């Protein structure tokens, strides 16, 4: 089987593509997989690191605003369509898969025009513009959340698959060992806080105030503040005579690489609400407080957060409403009702799709045989 995967930009688009590639390789060792991306995104690090070939083309997101730069981006993306056609003709794949983002446009359109089976995976509850436009061109749209179905009325076929993630529902964890490695106590509950791979300024500012006012005496914080913001947080805390490496009931990291383990031993998650985060929280069965990124395209993070809120698994605090009093009270109220907290975790698991990659692979195999 020859496969092309279009994935570019952020980890939220690239990591699902890599997870799908790994599943294909696991089931079909002779599969030839090529990624198509751009020269600018994380794919230039993540794809080769995962052991896959990466080809690049010109592709840009198109803004709805009229501007010279937008016109230039349209011309470059049109050029990318021609580049995608050449790569597709050269490889002659059995299927072309997109995992969201602007790169999917030229690659999947080129494949569809050449009658090659195509599918695109949309991880968000509110589909992006690219996926909406492609939904009537590709053979199948794979969606992470069932809420996305009604927002793609022109799709040829929709399959609810869930989002590929490293977290396994019900996975056994050595909680004592993980806590020991993190340097946290066994007898205090844990609130895990993060704002995506780059951190979140509003969340970070609120957490610094919680720490400086010592409001977390009854729980522990494990806080990933983001690689680009770690030094800022360190300096800000230092100005308040707080040593970032020695804070009571608090561990601060630039980034958490073993998220599946850390989330597994945590009691409440506080975070932005990207599609992968929603999926991981559901798979881990954790109560959550979401602070959606207010500038996400078409406000899709708030729609994502509502997926868990609507089943009684999460609270939402809008970014504009986030402050130390609101967050502290929400955490305190959640810990103050253990039975409800447990129920929230159980409710989170209700939206998890444990066999996501099996469903996706089954659809890939079906489509790849379409023209044979």
């Amino acid at each position: 089987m020859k496969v092309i995967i279009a994935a570019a930009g952020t980890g939220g688009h690239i990591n699902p593509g890599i997870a799908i590639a790994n599943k294909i390789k696991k089931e079909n060792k002779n599969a030839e997989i090529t990624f198509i991306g751009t020269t600018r995104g994380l794919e230039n690090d993540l794809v080769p690191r995962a052991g896959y070939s990466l080809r690049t083309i010109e592709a840009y997101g198109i803004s709805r605003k009229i501007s010279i730069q937008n016109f230039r981006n349209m011309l470059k993306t049109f050029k990318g369509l021609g580049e995608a056609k050449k790569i597709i003709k050269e490889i002659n794949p059995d299927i072309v898969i997109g995992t969201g983002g602007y790169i999917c446009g030229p690659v999947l359109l080129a494949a569809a025009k050449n009658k090659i089976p195509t599918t695109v995976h949309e991880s968000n509850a509110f589909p992006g513009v690219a996926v909406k436009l492609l939904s009537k061109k590709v053979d199948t749209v794979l969606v992470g959340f069932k809420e996305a179905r009604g927002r793609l009325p022109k799709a040829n076929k929709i399959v609810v698959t869930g989002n590929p993630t490293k977290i396994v529902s019900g996975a056994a964890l050595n909680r004592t060992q993980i806590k020991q490695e993190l340097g946290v106590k066994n007898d205090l509950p844990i609130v895990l806080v993060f704002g995506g791979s780059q951190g979140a300024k509003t969340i970070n500012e609120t957490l610094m105030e919680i720490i400086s006012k010592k409001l977390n005496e009854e729980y522990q914080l494990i806080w990933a503040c983001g690689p680009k913001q770690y030094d800022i947080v360190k300096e800000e805390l230092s100005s308040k005579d707080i040593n970032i490496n020695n804070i009571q009931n608090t561990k601060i990291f630039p980034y958490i690489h073993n998220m599946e383990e850390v989330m597994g031993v945590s009691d409440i998650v506080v975070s932005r609400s990207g599609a992968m985060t929603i999926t991981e929280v559901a798979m881990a069965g954790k109560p959550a407080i979401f602070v959606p990124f207010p500038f996400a395209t078409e406000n899709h993070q708030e729609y994502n957060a509502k997926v868990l809120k609507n089943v009684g698994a999460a609270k939402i605090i809008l970014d504009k409403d986030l402050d130390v009093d609101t967050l502290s009270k929400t955490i305190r109220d959640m810990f103050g009702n253990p039975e409800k907290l447990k129920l929230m975790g159980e409710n989170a698991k209700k939206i998890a799709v444990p066999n996501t990659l099996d469903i996706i692979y089954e659809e890939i195999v079906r489509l790849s045989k379409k023209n044979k």
Side-chain angles (χ1 to χ4, degrees):
M1 182 190 294
K2 290 183 180 180
V3 180
I4 286 177
I5 298 177
T10 66
H13 290 145
I14 301 157
N15 287 326
I18 291 172
I20 291 169
N22 290 343
K23 173 65 175 177
I24 294 170
K25 270 291 187 183
K26 180 183 176 183
E27 301 294 337
N28 187 339
K29 290 182 173 57
N30 295 321
E32 297 175 21
I33 302 171
T34 303
F35 278 76
I36 296 182
T38 70
T39 57
R40 307 181 310 280
L42 281 174
E43 64 270 24
N44 293 276
D45 173 36
L46 298 179
V47 171
R49 189 189 290 267
Y52 296 104
S53 171
L54 174 68
R55 303 283 291 270
T56 60
I57 66 171
E58 291 265 27
Y60 291 83
I62 306 300
S63 169
R64 294 180 181 181
K65 295 180 180 179
I66 299 172
S67 68
I68 293 174
Q69 187 57 52
N70 197 38
F71 181 68
R72 287 173 179 162
N73 287 346
M74 288 175 67
L75 289 177
K76 289 177 181 177
T77 302
F78 187 73
K79 178 185 176 185
L81 178 63
E83 294 170 336
K85 285 179 181 177
K86 288 180 182 178
I87 295 172
I88 287 168
K89 186 176 180 181
E90 176 189 331
I91 295 174
N92 190 26
D94 296 295
I95 188 169
V96 175
I97 304 163
T99 52
Y102 49 81
I103 192 71
C104 292
V107 177
L108 291 171
L109 285 175
K113 194 170 183 179
N114 283 281
K115 308 297 183 186
I116 292 169
T118 53
T119 185
V120 62
H121 183 276
E122 172 56 73
S123 58
N124 291 298
F126 197 104
V129 174
V131 172
K132 285 180 182 177
L133 293 172
L134 288 167
S135 65
K136 55 187 175 182
K137 300 288 185 182
V138 299
D139 295 290
T140 304
V141 180
L142 311 174
V143 296
F145 302 114
K146 63 182 177 59
E147 286 78 359
R149 292 184 69 113
R151 298 179 178 123
L152 295 167
K154 297 181 180 180
N156 292 315
K157 181 183 179 183
I158 298 175
V159 178
V160 180
T161 64
N163 291 320
T165 174
K166 291 188 292 184
I167 292 181
V168 179
S169 182
L173 294 171
N174 188 329
R175 299 174 67 87
T176 302
Q177 182 181 333
I178 294 168
K179 287 182 179 181
Q180 190 174 28
E181 290 172 354
L182 288 166
V184 298
K185 301 170 186 174
N186 258 319
D187 58 347
L188 272 185
I190 294 170
V191 177
L192 169 62
V193 185
F194 57 96
S197 59
Q198 301 305 317
K201 188 172 182 287
T202 317
I203 294 176
N204 287 352
E205 289 173 349
T206 305
L207 262 288
M208 282 190 280
E209 200 169 346
I210 285 177
I211 290 166
S212 63
K213 291 182 176 179
K214 297 183 178 179
L215 298 176
N216 64 313
E217 292 182 341
E218 296 181 356
Y219 60 87
Q220 302 172 94
L221 287 169
I222 297 178
W223 172 22
C225 61
K228 292 183 178 179
Q229 296 195 41
Y230 183 81
D231 288 339
I232 296 170
V233 170
K234 182 178 180 180
E235 188 176 329
E236 181 70 23
L237 290 174
S238 181
S239 71
K240 299 177 182 180
D241 295 322
I242 300 172
N243 181 346
I244 197 170
N245 297 311
N246 186 26
I247 307 174
Q248 186 177 6
N249 295 344
T250 302
K251 294 293 178 183
I252 304 177
F253 305 96
Y255 185 82
I256 294 173
H257 291 280
N258 59 330
M259 182 59 79
E260 61 274 25
E261 293 180 341
V262 179
M263 192 176 289
V265 301
S266 299
D267 299 282
I268 293 175
V269 174
V270 178
S271 69
R272 293 297 198 198
S273 46
M276 298 314 297
T277 297
I278 299 293
T279 302
E280 289 169 352
V281 167
M283 293 292 282
K286 298 297 173 179
I289 301 168
F290 292 123
V291 186
F293 179 54
F295 304 111
T297 307
E298 297 187 270
N299 198 29
H300 70 253
Q301 285 211 2
E302 190 172 336
Y303 284 95
N304 290 345
K306 286 178 179 177
V307 170
L308 281 176
K309 182 189 176 184
N310 291 344
V311 295
K315 308 279 188 181
I316 297 177
I317 302 175
L318 297 181
D319 194 83
K320 66 182 178 63
D321 298 329
L322 183 68
D323 57 38
V324 64
D325 294 330
T326 304
L327 182 57
S328 290
K329 183 181 185 304
T330 305
I331 293 172
R332 191 166 59 247
D333 289 349
M334 289 171 72
F335 278 134
N337 192 336
E339 288 185 7
K340 186 176 180 182
L341 194 68
K342 182 182 178 183
L343 181 62
M344 289 178 74
E346 291 171 354
N347 288 340
K349 289 182 180 179
K350 291 178 181 178
I351 72 153
V353 184
N355 56 336
T356 290
L357 286 170
D358 291 333
I359 298 170
I360 291 174
Y361 182 71
E362 185 179 321
E363 188 62 19
I364 288 169
V365 170
R366 185 189 73 81
L367 286 174
S368 66
K369 294 177 179 178
K370 181 181 168 186
N371 292 341
K372 292 182 179 178

